[in-house]
Amino acid sequence: MKTPSTLGKYGRMRERYLREERPVLYNRLILSGKLMEHLAEIDRTANRRLEQLMPELKKSMGLTEELKAQDPMKWAGLMNNAKSKVEEMILEELIYH
């Protein structure tokens, strides 16, 4: 089964996880006609979590516009680190459960 192009990154990740690691649940969702609804909800929720957590984490890590202007390389490294942390939380909470 192909995933529609309208599904985002996290929905596609959840679909792959279900297909490969939870085939019984995957098939149950397909047979009930709820797979796409489930994947779309996971995608929406994951994106909301990303939008909620990033500002909090940026603030706690001191990722300011001033730092960005003073030391762009340090800022970029910290931003990448922050996004990785948030994505790890999202994967644990929503994708791989």
Side-chain angles (χ1 to χ4, degrees), residues 24-96:
V24 173
L25 177 57
Y26 181 72
N27 286 325
R28 192 176 322 142
L29 287 167
I30 288 173
L31 293 172
S32 68
K34 295 183 179 180
L35 178 64
M36 292 313 302
E37 178 183 331
H38 172 76
L39 297 176
E41 180 58 32
I42 291 290
D43 194 64
R44 280 191 299 273
T45 303
N47 282 306
R48 277 196 304 267
R49 290 290 288 152
L50 182 67
E51 290 173 10
Q52 287 174 335
L53 294 171
M54 276 304 288
E56 296 170 15
L57 193 54
K58 284 169 56 176
K59 184 176 180 182
S60 73
M61 293 176 73
L63 283 160
T64 63
E65 289 299 314
E66 184 178 316
L67 177 63
K68 184 178 180 180
Q70 289 175 347
D71 193 347
M73 292 299 287
K74 180 178 181 180
W75 182 88
L78 289 172
M79 275 298 284
N80 287 337
N81 189 16
K83 186 162 185 184
S84 292
K85 285 181 182 183
V86 170
E87 285 201 333
E88 185 177 316
M89 292 167 47
I90 289 170
L91 294 177
E92 285 181 31
E93 291 175 10
L94 298 169
I95 307 302
Y96 303 135

